[in-house]
């Protein structure tokens, strides 16, 4: 599929794509690191929102700002920024999430003055009337501040257009998830991951076109001879920056049929109401979507959601991908684990340091787990 | 029953006070810190018998409305400090790790979570809460920690969400936090089953404000040379402003304490007998090594005269309007030391460096506390640039004593003190 090849190229060299894109279109680029960044507003302003994933290689500059007990994601993103590898970014936007990102924002503001810097201090609890009001107020403030930074008035019409685009992308991505869940063989995990990741990097209109094509073709595709024995798994955690995982799981006899990741389904989940004021619709979605553990909604909401995902996708087990030093996820793990146990859903925990263990070792761990399913 | 509890506490507190022996021995007062804490904890522990309600609350949370409603506030973080001081942190943390909690999580949270399930620790666990009040102005950890306890105890949880003030406290934030104080009151009315007492709140708010002013007055005595008290003394005396803020007891005790310190000044007595070097401490104490550290620095004739940690309990005074508790409390709770940007923290550190006229800055890089520790390296750079004083960063954990390397830290302190001495002698 040529569309797929195109996406894979973007994903394997995202910065080259963005540099070229900037040159060709003259558009501004706004970096972000969390799925609570109000991308719809950035895209409405005519700027390209780009999710930063950081690097695990050759970290030395970030170590002079962050101690050893900081997660590799925050460290890796700071490293790239300090090393001027993100010079194509015109501005950065930090929605409030965990303690580590909170401080990364400060460190960034003090050490990388050449980009504009925006804190969007979202509420932490999302389920009270005052929190909802505050969320609306803060996104309106974001609209104004971002407009100022980009030298543009971000109008209702611009927002409405962006909402439409995002709705389409998200509903198509949802379709893609469903197609793959029904027939995991129609697209390999690695390719699937590339499609998902490209959504956070590419020009969104261009991406929408390509995604439409891909979904169309996959809808027609006859599943290859099914490997019935492949065990169906759900991934749960924060960010999966290791595309290899999908392939390794497949080699171990499993297949990822759904996920609960912030760079996965949680990013796509939820539609915005196109009949109401666009900013209101954007706000409503951020308040409703399944939360990240750094936010508060119901006491067992994430657990219930995970169990629902497992059941809906007919998965046989859950793999927790937890980044070392990630507090919010580590605090939730025992309760999620308990809820899965009560439902007799098997799970395994993969603690991820900056570097993944050697492939062979990983594969053995997955094989051991998959064998018990 | 009550007597047994209080006997038990006496024992525990004597044990804990042993860490501060040097200090308590000098103290002659009818009601000591130990007495206050003993009464406080035995009242809290016997709440079931006396029919009072117990709330667990975070250290930076608004406790005044609880006191106004006659609810006994209990502070898991203070409990965490006691666990650390009695060197029980490592064991309790390990138990939490067996429950599935990562060893990289805050050790207050880890030890409290496991302690609740076994009623362990130095005082046999905290009394069971009837409600939980969590203010996230110190960290995101408390949110997760209180969610866990809300699930475990199955009691109502109130979250006071104080947006982080990276560079500013905006109108939006002000409205949001203020609105939550109203929600807090509704929450308390429901949990207590009666109308909120606003007159009482006024009174408590006033006492709380007075208490903070007095605590500031106590800490201020350390500007004198030699300093009559050290940060280690402050770590000890802090317990009252944390746990009994808003009561008359705090005023009585700190009035006496401030007077006591002034008397020491008048008589020229210093906390460190031969104070030659003055240092500033950053971050939460290393509770399991306070005494050792205090002696270590004293052996170099160095006194840690002040710290950013105990100052936090009077750091937001400038926002408080004692006649308008609720309105000003919103801002005061949002703008505390840990809820502001790194550059503003550095500014406050520099103010303290000048105020206490210190020769060096010692930073505890605390594995447990990410919001306190990330950004320290930048603060250190700012301090070195702006004031040119030597800085020392020690990596440790406030409660979990398992990875503390005494010999390594000892060597580093010795080397650091050499630099301080050399620099001072040159002057
Ligand atoms: S949520 Fe976890 S993984 Fe994400 S930045 Fe925070 S600590 Fe790191
Ligand atoms: S030590 Fe730090 S992380 Fe732990 S509860 Fe206190 S402020 Fe939060």
């Amino acid at each position: 599929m040529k569309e797929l090849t195109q996406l894979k190229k973007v994903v394997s060299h995202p910065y080259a794509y963005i540099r070229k894109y900037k040159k060709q279109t003259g558009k501004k680029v706004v970096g972000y690191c969390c799925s609570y960044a109000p991308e719809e507003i950035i895209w409405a302003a005519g700027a390209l929102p780009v999710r930063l994933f950081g690097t695990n290689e050759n970290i030395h500059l970030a170590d002079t700002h962050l101690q050893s007990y900081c997660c590799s994601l925050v460290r890796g993103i700071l490293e790239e920024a300090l090393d001027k590898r993100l010079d194509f970014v015109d501005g950065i936007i930090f929605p409030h999430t965990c303690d580590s990102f909170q401080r990364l924002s400060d460190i960034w503001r003090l050490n990388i003055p050449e980009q504009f810097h925006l804190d969007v201090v979202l509420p932490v609890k999302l389920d009270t009337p005052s929190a909802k009001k505050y969320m609306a107020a803060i996104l309106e403030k974001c609209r104004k501040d971002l407009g100022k930074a980009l030298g543009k008035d971000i109008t209702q019409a611009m927002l409405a257009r962006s909402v439409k685009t995002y709705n389409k992308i998200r509903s198509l991505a949802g379709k893609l998830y469903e197609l793959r869940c029904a027939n995991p063989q129609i697209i390999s995990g690695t390719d699937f991951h590339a499609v998902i990741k490209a959504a956070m990097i590419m020009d969104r209109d261009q991406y929408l076109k390509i995604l439409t094509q891909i979904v169309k073709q996959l809808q027609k595709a006859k599943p290859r001879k099914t490997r019935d024995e492949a065990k169906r798994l759900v991934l749960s955690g924060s960010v999966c920056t290791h595309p290899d995982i999908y392939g390794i799981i497949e080699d171990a006899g499993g297949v990822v049929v759904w996920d609960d990741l912030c760079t996965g389904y949680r990013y796509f989940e939820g539609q915005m109401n196109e009949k109401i004021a666009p900013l209101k619709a954007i706000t409503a979605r951020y308040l409703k979507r399944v939360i990240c553990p750094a936010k508060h909604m119901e006491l067992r909401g994430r657990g219930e959601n995970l169990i629902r995902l497992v059941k809906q996708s007919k998965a046989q087990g859950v793999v927790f991908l937890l980044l070392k030093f990630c507090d919010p996820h580590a605090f939730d793990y025992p309760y999620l684990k308990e809820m899965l146990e009560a439902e007799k859903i098997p799970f395994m925990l993969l603690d991820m340091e900056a570097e993944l263990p050697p492939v062979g070792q990983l594969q053995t761990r997955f094989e051991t787990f998959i064998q018990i399913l | 029953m009550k007597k047994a509890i209080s006997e038990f506490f006496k024992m525990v507190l004597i044990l804990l006070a042993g860490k501060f022996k040097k200090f308590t021995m000098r103290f002659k007062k009818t009601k000591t810190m130990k007495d206050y804490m003993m009464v406080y904890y035995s009242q809290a522990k016997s709440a079931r018998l006396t029919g009072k309600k117990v709330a667990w609350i975070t250290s930076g949370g608004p406790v005044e409305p609880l006191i106004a409603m006659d609810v006994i506030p209990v502070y898991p973080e203070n409990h965490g400090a006691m666990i650390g001081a009695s060197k029980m942190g490592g064991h309790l943390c390990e138990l939490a790790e067996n429950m599935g909690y990562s060893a990289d999580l805050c050790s207050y949270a880890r030890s409290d979570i496991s302690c609740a399930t076994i009623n362990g620790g130095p005082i046999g666990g905290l009394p069971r809460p009837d409600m939980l009040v969590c203010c996230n102005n110190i960290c995101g950890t408390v949110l997760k920690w209180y969610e866990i306890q809300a699930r475990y105890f199955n009691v109502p949880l109130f979250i006071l969400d104080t947006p982080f003030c990276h560079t500013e406290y905006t109108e939006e934030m002000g409205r949001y936090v203020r609105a939550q104080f109203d929600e807090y009151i509704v929450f308390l009315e429901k949990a207590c089953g009666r109308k909120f007492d606003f007159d009482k709140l006024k009174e408590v708010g006033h006492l709380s404000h007075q208490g903070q002013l007095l605590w500031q007055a106590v800490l201020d005595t350390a500007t004198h040379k030699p300093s009559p008290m050290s940060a280690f003394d402050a770590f000890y005396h802090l317990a009252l402003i944390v746990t009994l803020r808003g009561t008359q007891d705090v005023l009585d005790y700190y009035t006496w304490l401030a007077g006591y310190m002034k008397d020491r000044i008048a008589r020229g007595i210093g906390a460190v007998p031969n104070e030659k070097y003055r240092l500033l401490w950053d971050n939460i104490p290393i509770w399991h090594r306070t005494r050792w550290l205090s002696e270590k620095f004293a052996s170099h004739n160095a006194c840690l005269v002040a710290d950013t940690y105990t100052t936090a309990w009077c750091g937001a005074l400038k926002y408080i309007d004692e006649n308008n508790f609720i309105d000003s409390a919103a801002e005061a709770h949002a703008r505390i030391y840990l809820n502001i940007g790194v550059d503003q923290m550095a500014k406050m550190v520099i103010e303290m460096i000048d105020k206490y006229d210190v020769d060096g800055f010692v930073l505890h890089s605390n594995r447990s506390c990410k919001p306190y520790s990330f950004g320290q390296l930048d603060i250190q750079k700012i301090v070195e640039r702006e004031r040119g004083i030597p800085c020392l960063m020690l990596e440790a954990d406030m409660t979990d004593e398992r990875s503390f390397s005494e010999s390594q830290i000892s060597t580093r302190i010795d080397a650091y003190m050499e630099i301080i001495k050399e620099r001072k002698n040159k002057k």
Side-chain angles (χ1 to χ4, degrees), chain A residues 64-65 67 69-70 99 102-103 106 109 111 119 121 124-125 130 141 293 296 299 324 327 332 334-335, chain B residues 104 140 144 147 151 159 161 164 166 168 180 183 338 340-343 365 370-371 373 376 378 381:
Chain A
T64 64
H65 297 271
Q67 292 94 322
Y69 43 94
C70 175
D99 292 339
Q102 174 180 298
R103 288 301 178 206
D106 284 341
R109 180 166 50 80
N111 293 283
D119 285 306
V121 191
V124 166
K125 61 174 177 182
S130 63
K141 184 174 187 300
H296 174 82
L299 284 174
K324 191 165 168 59
D327 290 353
D332 268 4
Y335 112 77
Chain B
D104 301 317
K144 302 310 292 175
E147 284 177 349
R151 282 191 293 263
I159 298 162
D161 181 12
F164 193 82
H166 287 282
E168 52 178 352
Q180 291 176 78
E183 293 166 0
L338 277 186
I340 55 176
V342 164
D343 39 343
S365 164
K370 295 182 172 86
S373 303
Q376 270 179 323
D378 279 75
K381 284 183 195 108

Side-chain angles (χ1 to χ4, degrees), chain B residues 37 46 122 134 161 181 269 364:
Chain B
M37 290 306 282
S46 53
C134 168
D161 181 12
F181 271 84
I269 306 173
H364 168 204

Side-chain angles (χ1 to χ4, degrees), chain B residues 4 9 51 72 77 86 100 138 149 153 162 206 210 228 231 258 274 283 291 295 308 337 366 383 403 408 425:
Chain B
F9 273 108
I72 302 181
E77 289 156 75
S86 45
I138 46 174
Q149 298 301 33
F153 290 110
T162 46
H206 186 72
Q210 294 295 313
N274 266 315
N283 214 310
R291 183 146 175 221
E295 284 166 3
T308 56
Y337 189 66
N366 182 357
V383 164
S403 60
Q408 200 187 352
N425 290 340

Side-chain angles (χ1 to χ4, degrees), chain A residues 186-369:
Chain A
I186 56 174
I187 176 171
S188 78
T190 315
D191 288 355
F192 179 75
H193 183 258
V195 178
I196 297 308
K197 201 168 171 186
M200 299 161 210
I201 299 165
M202 272 181 97
D203 177 285
R204 301 304 189 263
D205 289 329
Q206 197 187 352
Y207 179 75
L208 176 58
K209 269 192 210 131
I210 295 180
L211 184 64
T212 314
Q213 286 308 314
I214 291 179
V215 171
K216 220 186 243 160
Q217 294 187 37
L218 289 181
Q219 269 167 333
K220 281 188 284 186
K222 286 235 170 57
R224 271 168 273 153
K225 209 169 137 336
T226 49
R227 274 192 310 176
D228 281 337
E229 70 281 12
K231 295 292 196 278
R232 300 167 66 84
L233 302 173
V234 168
L235 290 185
S236 176
S238 57
V239 179
C240 182
T241 47
H242 297 283
D244 301 355
I245 290 260
Y246 290 84
I248 299 171
I249 289 179
E250 283 169 14
D251 288 341
V255 60
V256 179
V257 291
W258 211 275
D259 71 63
D260 171 35
L261 301 171
C262 40
T263 47
Y265 191 66
R266 250 191 284 135
Y267 168 76
F268 294 108
E269 211 228 329
Q271 286 282 301
M272 292 169 283
N273 184 348
E274 291 177 20
K275 295 208 182 76
I276 59 174
L279 205 57
K280 253 196 188 148
I282 295 170
T283 308
R285 177 179 171 273
Y286 281 108
L287 286 168
K288 248 197 336 240
R289 58 164 269 214
V290 172
I291 53 161
C292 132
K295 300 260 172 260
H296 174 82
M297 192 107 80
E298 291 130 12
L299 284 174
R300 289 182 181 78
R302 290 194 64 228
E304 282 155 10
N305 178 60
L306 183 57
I307 289 169
R308 196 163 47 235
L309 292 182
V310 170
K311 290 190 172 159
Q312 275 170 8
S313 63
K314 301 202 172 55
Q316 288 145 295
V318 171
V319 177
F320 287 102
L321 298 177
L322 297 191
L323 221 49
K324 191 165 168 59
F325 303 119
C326 169
D327 290 353
H329 282 275
F331 270 119
D332 268 4
Y333 168 69
Y335 112 77
L336 295 177
K337 166 177 118 136
E338 232 171 74
M339 282 183 74
L340 290 182
E341 276 162 356
E343 293 280 331
K344 302 210 166 38
I345 298 168
F347 59 88
M348 72 171 267
L349 168 63
L350 188 66
D351 259 319
M352 298 199 295
E353 312 247 356
E355 301 283 324
L356 274 187
V359 175
Q361 198 184 318
L362 256 185
Q363 193 172 324
T364 318
R365 287 198 52 195
F366 283 125
E367 275 167 6
T368 318
F369 174 60

Side-chain angles (χ1 to χ4, degrees), chain B residues 141-213:
Chain B
T141 282
V142 288
L143 174 77
K144 302 310 292 175
W145 173 5
Y146 277 59
E147 284 177 349
I148 289 163
Q149 298 301 33
R151 282 191 293 263
Y152 180 72
F153 290 110
N154 194 22
V155 293
L157 163 65
F158 181 77
I159 298 162
L160 184 78
D161 181 12
T162 46
F164 193 82
C165 308
H166 287 282
T167 52
E168 52 178 352
Y169 179 69
T170 65
E171 262 177 63
E172 292 88 355
M173 293 172 177
R175 275 197 301 273
Y176 177 38
V177 184
R178 176 62 189 80
Q180 291 176 78
F181 271 84
D182 292 336
E183 293 166 0
Y184 185 23
I185 285 167
V186 173
F187 170 87
L188 287 178
E189 287 182 334
K190 205 167 150 210
C192 300
R194 72 193 136 82
K195 278 263 153 256
F196 190 78
D197 189 342
F198 284 95
D199 290 335
K200 184 88 189 287
L201 180 66
K202 234 184 203 164
E203 208 179 288
V204 177
H206 186 72
L207 289 173
S208 168
H209 183 245
Q210 294 295 313
Q212 292 174 63
L213 285 173

